[in-house]
C-alpha cells in the first residue's frame, strides 16, 4: 500500500508551478494516490484522540484567550504523542510519517524551492534541519489571523484531509499587508486581519496540498469558521532549520 506513495507525491509536488507573489507558494490536487487517500479517510483518528494546543504544550497564552484555541485539536506525529491515536490504526500513521519525514520526499521539496532557500539559508546540503508533523482538527468558530510562522522554519506544507468538497471555503488564505513593504523577521504571533487583504484562498478540497517557503512576507491564516458542525482536518509538515 505504501510502496508507490512517495513517487506519486514527489511527481505531484515537483511538477506544480510555484507562484512567487507575495511569497513562494503552490497548490495542487491529488497529492496522494486516490486509493491511498481512501485509506487515510478510513484511518482518521476519532475526535477524542486529539488534545488542545495547550495540552500538547504548543502554546503559552493567558487563560482568557484559551477558549479560541480549544477549537483546534492536535496530535503531533513526530514524537510520543502519536500514542494518542487508537492502537488499531496507529501503525498506519507511523508508516505514513516515515514517508513524509524521509529524505526521499523532503530533498525534492528543497530542490523545488532551491533559489529561495539558498538565498535565505545557504547551500542545500549544508542546512541542518528537523521535521515536525501534526494532525489538526479545527471546529466551528476557529480562525487564524495573518502570521508568518517561526523564524527558523524553512518550508511548510498543509495536506488537506476533508472527506468531500463541502468545506472548500475553509482553505489557507494568502494575505498581503495593506501597508506597503510591511514584513516581520518571523513570529508565531498574529496580526490584525483589518491590516491585510486576502489575495488568494487555497480551496480546502480532498487530497490537496498547499505548500510555501517561509519568509518575512509569508502571511497566511484561516478565515472564521461560521457554520455549526464544520470540521477542518489537515496534516501540517514543518521543515525547520536547527
Amino acid at each position: 500500500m505504501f510502496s508507490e506513495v512517495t513517487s506519486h507525491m514527489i511527481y505531484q509536488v515537483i511538477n506544480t508551478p510555484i507562484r512567487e507573489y507575495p511569497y513562494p507558494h503552490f497548490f495542487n490536487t491529488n497529492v496522494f494516490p486516490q486509493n491511498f487517500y481512501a485509506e487515510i479517510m478510513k484511518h482518521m483518528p476519532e475526535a477524542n484522540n486529539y488534545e488542545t494546543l495547550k495540552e500538547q504544550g504548543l502554546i503559552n497564552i493567558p487563560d482568557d484567550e484559551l477558549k479560541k484555541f480549544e477549537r483546534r485539536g492536535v496530535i503531533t506525529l513526530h514524537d510520543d504523542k502519536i500514542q494518542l491515536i487508537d492502537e488499531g490504526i496507529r501503525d498506519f500513521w507511523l508508516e505514513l510519517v516515515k514517508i513524509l519525514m524521509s529524505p526521499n520526499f523532503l530533498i525534492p521539496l528543497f530542490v523545488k524551492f532551491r533559489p529561495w532557500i539558498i538565498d535565505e539559508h545557504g547551500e542545500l546540503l549544508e542546512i541542518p534541519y528537523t521535521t515536525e508533523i501534526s494532525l489538526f482538527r479545527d471546529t466551528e468558530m476557529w480562525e487564524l489571523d495573518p502570521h508568518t510562522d517561526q523564524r527558523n522554519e524553512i518550508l511548510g506544507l498543509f495536506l488537506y484531509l476533508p472527506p468531500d468538497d463541502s468545506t472548500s471555503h475553509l482553505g489557507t488564505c494568502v494575505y498581503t499587508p495593506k501597508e506597503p513593504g510591511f514584513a516581520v523577521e518571523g513570529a508565531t504571533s498574529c496580526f490584525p486581519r483589518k491590516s491585510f487583504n486576502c489575495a488568494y484562498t487555497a480551496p480546502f478540497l480532498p487530497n490537496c496540498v498547499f505548500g510555501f517557503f517561509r519568509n518575512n512576507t509569508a502571511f497566511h491564516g484561516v478565515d472564521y469558521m461560521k457554520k455549526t458542525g464544520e470540521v477542518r482536518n489537515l496534516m501540517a509538515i514543518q521543515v525547520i532549520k536547527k
Side-chain angles (χ1 to χ4, degrees), residues 28 31 51 70 96 103 116 126-127 149 153 190:
N28 198 13
V31 64
E51 292 184 330
E70 289 173 350
L96 180 52
W116 299 280
E126 298 175 1
I127 300 173
D149 287 353
E153 180 178 306
C190 298

Side-chain angles (χ1 to χ4, degrees), residues 57-69:
L58 299 176
I59 57 171
N60 183 19
I61 59 174
D63 289 344
D64 59 355
E65 297 182 24
L66 277 180
K67 187 174 182 180
K68 168 186 172 181
F69 288 93

Side-chain angles (χ1 to χ4, degrees), residues 9 13 23 26-28 31-32 72 105 109 132 134 136 138 144 147-149 153 155-162 170-174 202-205 207-212 218-222 232-238:
M9 292 184 70
V13 169
Y23 52 87
F26 70 89
F27 175 79
N28 198 13
V31 64
F32 294 107
R72 164 160 275 195
F105 176 64
L109 274 176
E132 297 183 358
S134 301
F136 289 109
D138 303 329
L144 192 57
H147 63 289
T148 63
D149 287 353
E153 180 178 306
L155 303 173
L157 291 180
F158 302 139
L159 301 166
Y160 295 161
L161 304 176
L170 299 181
T172 305
C173 296
V174 173
F204 192 72
L205 295 171
N207 201 12
C208 291
V209 58
F210 175 82
F212 67 99
F219 295 103
H220 60 284
V222 182
R232 183 176 183 267
N233 285 310
L234 71 153
M235 187 187 308
I237 304 173
Q238 294 174 291

Side-chain angles (χ1 to χ4, degrees), residues 102-144:
S102 72
N104 290 339
F105 176 64
L106 294 175
I107 296 302
L109 274 176
F110 274 45
V111 173
K112 183 177 184 67
F113 288 99
R114 185 175 187 273
W116 299 280
I117 292 177
I118 289 177
D119 186 58
E120 182 78 15
H121 300 286
E123 286 297 329
L124 299 184
L125 297 179
E126 298 175 1
I127 300 173
Y129 69 90
T130 186
T131 309
E132 297 183 358
I133 303 180
S134 301
L135 283 172
F136 289 109
R137 187 179 188 276
D138 303 329
T139 56
E140 64 262 23
M141 298 177 67
W142 169 255
E143 62 180 327
L144 192 57

Side-chain angles (χ1 to χ4, degrees), residues 17-233:
I18 291 179
R19 302 174 181 182
E20 297 189 27
Y21 174 84
Y23 52 87
H25 65 282
F26 70 89
F27 175 79
N28 198 13
T29 59
N30 298 316
V31 64
F32 294 107
Q34 286 297 328
N35 61 340
F36 188 79
Y37 188 77
E39 291 298 321
I40 291 177
M41 292 295 97
K42 292 178 184 178
H43 290 83
M44 288 299 296
E46 298 292 334
N48 60 8
N49 289 172
Y50 293 79
E51 292 184 330
T52 65
L53 296 173
K54 183 175 182 180
E55 287 172 332
Q56 293 227 344
L58 299 176
I59 57 171
N60 183 19
I61 59 174
D63 289 344
D64 59 355
E65 297 182 24
L66 277 180
K67 187 174 182 180
K68 168 186 172 181
F69 288 93
E70 289 173 350
R71 298 166 188 143
R72 164 160 275 195
V74 61
I75 305 172
T76 50
L77 303 178
H78 55 273
D79 58 21
D80 290 343
K81 291 293 186 179
I82 200 170
Q83 301 300 320
L84 291 169
I85 296 177
D86 290 337
E87 186 176 1
I89 62 172
R90 192 182 304 149
D91 285 348
F92 175 88
W93 292 101
L94 286 168
E95 289 300 316
L96 180 52
V97 167
K98 287 180 183 177
I99 291 174
L100 299 176
M101 296 185 75
S102 72
N104 290 339
F105 176 64
L106 294 175
I107 296 302
L109 274 176
F110 274 45
V111 173
K112 183 177 184 67
F113 288 99
R114 185 175 187 273
W116 299 280
I117 292 177
I118 289 177
D119 186 58
E120 182 78 15
H121 300 286
E123 286 297 329
L124 299 184
L125 297 179
E126 298 175 1
I127 300 173
Y129 69 90
T130 186
T131 309
E132 297 183 358
I133 303 180
S134 301
L135 283 172
F136 289 109
R137 187 179 188 276
D138 303 329
T139 56
E140 64 262 23
M141 298 177 67
W142 169 255
E143 62 180 327
L144 192 57
D145 289 333
H147 63 289
T148 63
D149 287 353
Q150 56 185 303
R151 176 67 179 84
N152 59 339
E153 180 178 306
I154 302 171
L155 303 173
L157 291 180
F158 302 139
L159 301 166
Y160 295 161
L161 304 176
D164 53 49
D165 61 3
S166 62
T167 54
S168 62
H169 55 288
L170 299 181
T172 305
C173 296
V174 173
Y175 294 107
T176 55
K178 293 181 179 178
E179 178 186 338
F182 179 75
V184 293
E185 277 295 314
T188 53
S189 58
C190 298
F191 296 88
R193 193 163 310 200
K194 64 183 180 180
S195 300
F196 291 80
N197 294 312
C198 179
Y200 168 70
T201 300
F204 192 72
L205 295 171
N207 201 12
C208 291
V209 58
F210 175 82
F212 67 99
F213 173 74
R214 198 231 75 91
N215 62 19
N216 295 342
T217 61
F219 295 103
H220 60 284
V222 182
D223 275 346
Y224 186 67
M225 293 174 59
K226 299 178 182 179
K227 295 182 181 178
T228 301
E230 283 185 335
V231 175
R232 183 176 183 267
N233 285 310

